[in-house]
Amino acid sequence: MNFSSSLLENAVNELAKLPGIGKKTALRLALHLLKKETSEVEVLVGALSKMKHEIKFCVRCGNISDSELCNICKQSSRNNGVICVVESIKDVLAIENTQQYNGLYHILGGVISPLDGVGPDDLTIDALVKRVDDEKVEELVFALSPNIQGDTTIYYIGKKLAGKKIKITTIARGIAFGGELEYADELTLARSIANRMPVESYVNY
Amino acid sequence: MNFSSSLLENAVNELAKLPGIGKKTALRLALHLLKKETSEVEVLVGALSKMKHEIKFCVRCGNISDSELCNICKQSSRNNGVICVVESIKDVLAIENTQQYNGLYHILGGVISPLDGVGPDDLTIDALVKRVDDEKVEELVFALSPNIQGDTTIYYIGKKLAGKKIKITTIARGIAFGGELEYADELTLARSIANRMPVESYVNY
């Protein structure tokens, strides 16, 4: 594409590096910004720069935070006895949006995946074990990706915690609400039959 | 959504103001930037800021440019006798990408649209008339949106240029290549029948 301006070309190339943004979308965004007031562009640019430079990670759970402890760890109304173990910040946001969980979190930073070069030492597993020891944790709820890597990670951490008096659970897996049986993959369907549950507990939810 | 960080929330809100970017995509982009090196984020932010502050508009045709005259107006190989009149910079890029046009451009900045509060004085029509007088222009090719507003604008400019020895044309409208007759709207189909052309000229293309 001939942009007739290297400034525009640079901006488009940089925007196109973002996930899910191709050259055409990048051009649309750049031309949109060109039409906007300089102050509005400054606000966007400033927000991105400030976020990158000033954002902190909670020293306790690894969640993003504006201060040393994140808002969730700071809340006194939270149940400190339950820790939900997730892969990333995105998962915390997803679970928080359900407004159904009142415990704390622990962000692993991924799952054990030797093929991708991610070993246990690349994750915050040691910090999690330390929290279990220090914080009177009664239950760990694993909310990891439902695949081999996720299961391996749960198994590995379970081994590490062997002998400690702690309940280890994982979020329920099965057919999604609104999902149709015939389109469910075999593994999901097989697991959801194996882990069938009494109707009362289903209705009570 | 509870972001647990006002810095992240700000960045997401600003990104979500971009066209075609919703809250979820904005969050994905923000988390992507958080994962990237600070230097990479600085390059993106710098490119956007630099583009907004330093980009110029060609004094002759209104195209974006890094200097006073744009690359197209500067090219000596261009045919100075033909000006293609377009609404926006995006249209220049689209036509340039076809590599079929060798004349100059004139960017109106929109089309006459009283309902949207856009009158002739909001467009660069006077500058276009001046160019026609000053630059020995032989032909104006209108490449505006194929709607009432576009047609009104062509009519208005045609009136302004009445009496001048200049050829006024518009890009051909009709059924797009690969388009199916049965799905074409009635106006397009009616016009493309009314403006039918000899098969030779079609084949020669």
Side-chain angles (χ1 to χ4, degrees):
Chain A
M1 228 187 256
N2 172 13
F3 286 107
S4 77
S5 159
S6 60
L7 293 166
L8 177 67
E9 191 170 359
N10 271 349
V12 168
N13 287 341
E14 287 304 320
L15 285 169
K17 286 183 189 165
L18 295 172
I21 307 250
K23 275 270 161 110
K24 280 214 166 181
T25 311
L27 177 62
R28 194 156 49 89
L29 296 179
L31 291 176
H32 171 86
L33 290 175
L34 267 185
K35 264 201 276 181
K36 287 274 153 191
E37 293 294 316
T38 305
S39 61
E40 288 182 58
V41 177
E42 282 308 307
V43 170
L44 167 67
V45 160
L48 293 181
S49 188
K50 205 166 152 63
M51 173 187 78
K52 186 67 197 171
H53 281 110
E54 295 184 14
I55 218 161
K56 294 188 181 71
F57 292 92
C58 176
V59 290
R60 194 175 177 195
C61 71
N63 192 11
I64 42 166
S65 169
D66 291 350
S67 51
E68 198 163 316
L69 275 183
C70 74
N71 290 347
I72 295 172
C73 286
K74 264 191 254 175
Q75 269 174 41
S76 55
S77 61
R78 291 268 172 174
N79 178 357
N80 288 294
V82 186
I83 294 180
C84 180
V85 182
V86 294
E87 287 171 45
S88 73
I89 296 156
K90 243 181 280 191
D91 303 325
V92 173
L93 293 172
I95 296 173
E96 281 299 291
N97 280 335
T98 67
Q99 302 187 324
Q100 293 290 329
Y101 177 71
N102 191 37
L104 302 178
Y105 291 93
H106 189 83
I107 290 146
L108 285 181
V111 283
I112 297 172
S113 175
L115 281 179
D116 301 317
V118 181
D121 294 341
D122 300 316
L123 309 176
T124 60
I125 293 177
D126 289 341
L128 176 63
V129 173
K130 195 164 178 301
R131 281 184 75 183
V132 169
D133 288 338
D134 295 352
E135 292 180 25
K136 287 189 188 162
V137 179
E138 290 153 18
E139 182 177 355
L140 283 191
V141 184
F142 283 94
L144 304 181
S145 300
N147 53 27
I148 302 288
Q149 289 80 21
D151 288 352
T152 307
T153 310
I154 295 175
Y155 181 77
Y156 181 89
I157 298 176
K159 279 274 186 190
K160 277 251 175 189
L161 297 174
K164 293 189 208 295
K165 217 182 124 217
I166 185 172
K167 195 171 151 195
I168 296 183
T169 57
T170 170
I171 54 168
R173 282 146 192 196
I175 308 294
F177 280 90
E180 303 222 19
L181 274 200
E182 55 178 320
Y183 299 123
D185 64 293
E186 288 161 23
L187 190 63
T188 302
L189 197 52
R191 277 204 189 186
S192 86
I193 292 171
N195 301 324
R196 61 193 177 277
M197 51 188 177
V199 173
E200 308 92 75
S201 70
Y202 176 82
V203 171
N204 283 341
Y205 179 84
Chain B
M1 230 187 254
N2 173 13
F3 286 105
S4 77
S5 158
S6 60
L7 293 167
L8 177 67
E9 191 170 2
N10 272 349
V12 168
N13 287 342
E14 288 304 321
L15 285 169
K17 285 182 190 166
L18 294 172
I21 307 251
K23 274 272 161 107
K24 280 213 166 180
T25 309
L27 176 62
R28 195 156 48 88
L29 295 179
L31 291 176
H32 171 85
L33 290 176
L34 266 184
K35 263 201 276 181
K36 287 274 154 193
E37 293 294 317
T38 306
S39 60
E40 289 182 56
V41 178
E42 281 307 308
V43 170
L44 167 67
V45 160
L48 293 181
S49 188
K50 204 166 148 73
M51 173 188 77
K52 186 67 197 172
H53 282 109
E54 296 183 14
I55 219 162
K56 294 188 182 72
F57 292 92
C58 176
V59 290
R60 194 176 178 194
C61 71
N63 191 11
I64 43 165
S65 169
D66 291 351
S67 50
E68 198 163 316
L69 275 183
C70 74
N71 290 346
I72 295 172
C73 286
K74 264 192 252 174
Q75 269 174 40
S76 56
S77 61
R78 291 268 173 174
N79 178 357
N80 288 294
V82 186
I83 294 180
C84 180
V85 182
V86 295
E87 286 172 44
S88 73
I89 297 158
K90 242 181 280 191
D91 303 325
V92 173
L93 293 172
I95 295 173
E96 280 299 290
N97 280 334
T98 67
Q99 303 188 322
Q100 294 288 329
Y101 177 71
N102 192 36
L104 301 178
Y105 291 92
H106 189 84
I107 290 147
L108 285 181
V111 282
I112 297 172
S113 175
L115 281 178
D116 300 318
V118 181
D121 293 342
D122 299 317
L123 309 176
T124 60
I125 292 177
D126 290 341
L128 176 63
V129 173
K130 195 164 175 301
R131 281 185 74 183
V132 169
D133 288 337
D134 295 352
E135 294 181 23
K136 286 189 187 161
V137 179
E138 289 152 19
E139 182 176 355
L140 282 191
V141 184
F142 283 95
L144 304 181
S145 299
N147 53 27
I148 302 290
Q149 290 80 21
D151 288 353
T152 308
T153 310
I154 296 177
Y155 181 77
Y156 180 89
I157 298 177
K159 279 273 188 192
K160 276 251 177 187
L161 296 173
K164 292 190 209 294
K165 215 180 126 219
I166 184 170
K167 196 170 151 195
I168 297 184
T169 58
T170 169
I171 54 168
R173 280 146 193 197
I175 307 296
F177 279 89
E180 304 222 18
L181 276 198
E182 57 179 319
Y183 298 125
D185 63 294
E186 288 161 24
L187 191 62
T188 302
L189 197 52
R191 275 203 190 188
S192 85
I193 292 171
N195 301 324
R196 62 192 176 279
M197 51 188 176
V199 173
E200 305 93 75
S201 71
Y202 175 79
V203 171
N204 282 341
Y205 178 85

